[in-house]
Amino acid sequence: MNLMNIITKQLIEIIEWTDDSRDTLSYRWPDEDKEIKNGAQLIVRESQQVQFVSEGQFADLFGPGRHQLTTQNIPILSTLRGWKYGFNSPFKCDVYYVNTRLFTGNKWGTSNPVMMRDKDFGVVRLRAFGTYDFRIVQPAKFLKEVAGTDQNFRLDEFADTMRSRIVSIFSEALARAQVPVLDVAQRYTEMGDALLQLINPAVTEKYGLEITSFLLENVSVPPEVEEAIDKRSSMSAIGNLNDYVKYQMGQAMANGGEGAAAATIPATMAMGFGMAQEMMKGMQQPSGAAAADPFSPAAAQAAQAAPAAAAAAGAGLQVLTPEQAAQALGVTVQEVLTELESGALKGRKIGSAWRISQESLNEFLRG
């Protein structure tokens, strides 16, 4: 073997890398202390980029294609090397292949609950997990901040680190977004798209990555928050509270017995509240309006007609116990019994139990 063959074997003429692992993020081309020949061929395939590093400094970046290494297409390296008038001798340089394809289906999740402030439930602890897709868009920054000088940097080496960074950025983004817990727990797709706009710039700036898809697959809240959400859903299902109370009263009346008698109490109280409101409205109107005077004969007749109408509406369901009468009047049972014994409140004693008609209670109220 002559001297020329020996020298040729020490020079690199073709640089290329074929990835068959499907999980390699970056690969440092092994030079084995060989030097790159002037005019060597660099082959970069689709979904690859090549970053040259000379003496620890980032130099030229090459995209897909076949490149001949000359001073014309490696201007940064030529400047670093001081090749003002071209070069003819071999040179040493680190060559990093960076995989720019899309890496899909990467898992992320919160190992500990994320604390967030919610306007409905106060401070809430959230757990979340899902998937994300990403690609490398800034090879130099990725090599500097993530891969370093690793010969063969694989996805499994990066998964745990990336997961913790994603969760950290997710927590900050969720806090800044101030999204209500009810929306987080019910609208995963919209939340993922919204958070992607906050997470992606931070990841690109720090690590040279672009997250193309960020999905929330599940968001869980503590049991007490779930119970509160269920209660709120139940109240929404009830709808108009007034209609709901009327329905409950109708059901109780249909059942008859003491339950039916008890059902008249809310009606009596509701009428009292209604009359009080009408009186307050009348007091707020000008004193010259006779119809608005709560003490006018018309108002007295209306007050007398209201209980009668209520009694007519609840015909057959007008008997109250002293306890029910006390609840309707807002007094003690003993005070009702005292009025019954004195005869001021009309009632009928059957055995040892008193029963009071609705009409007698109305007469007692009128005095």
Side-chain angles (χ1 to χ4, degrees):
M1 181 180 296
N2 57 34
L3 181 60
M4 185 57 67
N5 290 335
I6 294 175
I7 294 176
T8 302
K9 288 182 178 294
Q10 295 301 315
L11 300 179
I12 300 172
E13 297 184 347
I14 299 177
I15 302 173
E16 65 177 330
W17 173 59
T18 303
D19 177 27
D20 57 358
S21 64
R22 302 299 299 168
D23 65 347
T24 301
L25 295 173
S26 67
Y27 176 79
R28 182 162 56 86
W29 199 81
D31 56 14
E32 298 177 355
D33 291 331
K34 294 181 181 180
E35 294 182 321
I36 300 174
K37 179 183 177 180
N38 176 25
Q41 300 295 313
L42 173 66
I43 300 174
V44 184
R45 291 175 170 79
E46 293 293 340
S47 76
Q48 292 180 348
Q49 285 188 313
V50 171
Q51 178 70 60
F52 275 53
V53 180
S54 176
E55 298 180 352
Q57 293 180 287
F58 290 109
D60 299 279
L61 179 68
F62 295 87
R66 187 182 187 93
H67 309 274
Q68 186 175 11
L69 302 180
T70 65
T71 53
Q72 284 74 28
N73 62 5
I74 50 174
I76 300 177
L77 183 60
S78 299
T79 301
L80 294 175
R81 289 280 181 168
W83 293 325
K84 297 180 180 179
Y85 307 105
F87 71 98
N88 296 313
S89 60
F91 63 94
K92 291 283 293 181
C93 193
D94 294 328
V95 180
Y96 288 89
Y97 275 85
V98 177
N99 200 335
T100 58
R101 74 173 182 84
L102 190 65
F103 291 87
T104 60
N106 303 280
K107 303 291 185 181
W108 70 272
T110 56
S111 55
N112 296 312
V114 176
M115 305 293 290
M116 65 169 289
R117 190 179 301 277
D118 184 76
K119 64 180 182 180
D120 296 319
F121 304 107
V123 178
V124 182
R125 302 186 307 274
L126 287 180
R127 290 184 181 273
F129 65 85
T131 61
Y132 65 95
D133 305 336
F134 77 95
R135 62 161 55 98
I136 301 171
V137 293
Q138 298 181 17
K141 182 166 289 187
F142 174 78
L143 292 172
K144 178 182 178 181
E145 301 293 342
V146 181
T149 59
D150 200 312
Q151 171 86 35
N152 192 4
F153 191 77
R154 295 180 178 275
L155 185 60
D156 57 356
E157 302 176 57
F158 184 53
D160 292 340
T161 302
M162 187 63 178
R163 186 180 300 115
S164 63
R165 291 172 180 174
I166 284 288
V167 170
S168 176
I169 298 173
F170 165 77
S171 303
E172 295 175 3
L174 187 63
R176 290 201 305 269
Q178 297 182 345
V179 180
V181 171
L182 293 176
D183 292 342
V184 174
Q186 295 175 5
R187 291 154 52 178
Y188 294 154
T189 302
E190 295 178 23
M191 275 298 304
D193 293 340
L195 289 173
L196 180 62
Q197 306 303 318
L198 300 173
I199 294 174
N200 211 24
V203 173
T204 302
E205 180 182 355
K206 291 184 178 180
Y207 313 120
L209 304 175
E210 178 188 17
I211 298 180
T212 60
S213 175
F214 185 81
L215 301 177
L216 278 78
E217 296 181 359
N218 181 266
V219 176
S220 59
V221 294
E224 58 270 19
V225 178
E226 289 185 354
E227 184 178 351
I229 293 174
D230 291 341
K231 288 181 179 179
R232 176 165 295 189
S233 300
S234 299
M235 291 302 296
S236 298
I238 289 173
N240 187 288
L241 185 60
N242 187 36
D243 292 341
Y244 178 72
V245 171
K246 291 178 180 178
Y247 170 77
Q248 292 288 79
M249 291 171 57
Q251 291 292 100
M253 290 179 180
N255 293 332
E258 295 222 359
T264 62
I265 296 176
T268 304
M269 296 178 67
M271 286 190 299
F273 291 144
M275 292 173 63
Q277 290 176 353
E278 291 299 323
M279 291 175 65
M280 289 299 296
K281 290 179 182 178
M283 293 174 66
Q284 292 173 356
Q285 292 177 357
S287 58
D293 186 0
F295 300 102
S296 64
Q301 292 178 2
Q304 293 177 1
L317 302 172
Q318 303 172 355
V319 179
L320 282 73
T321 64
E323 290 79 8
Q324 293 167 347
Q327 185 176 359
L329 296 172
V331 298
T332 65
V333 177
Q334 185 58 47
E335 289 174 325
V336 172
L337 293 175
T338 300
E339 296 296 331
L340 287 169
E341 295 290 347
S342 66
L345 174 60
K346 303 298 182 180
R348 183 175 296 277
K349 192 170 186 181
I350 304 174
S352 61
W354 283 94
R355 292 295 182 267
I356 309 160
S357 69
Q358 184 66 51
E359 181 60 30
S360 297
L361 187 61
N362 291 339
E363 291 180 0
F364 176 77
L365 290 174
R366 287 194 295 267

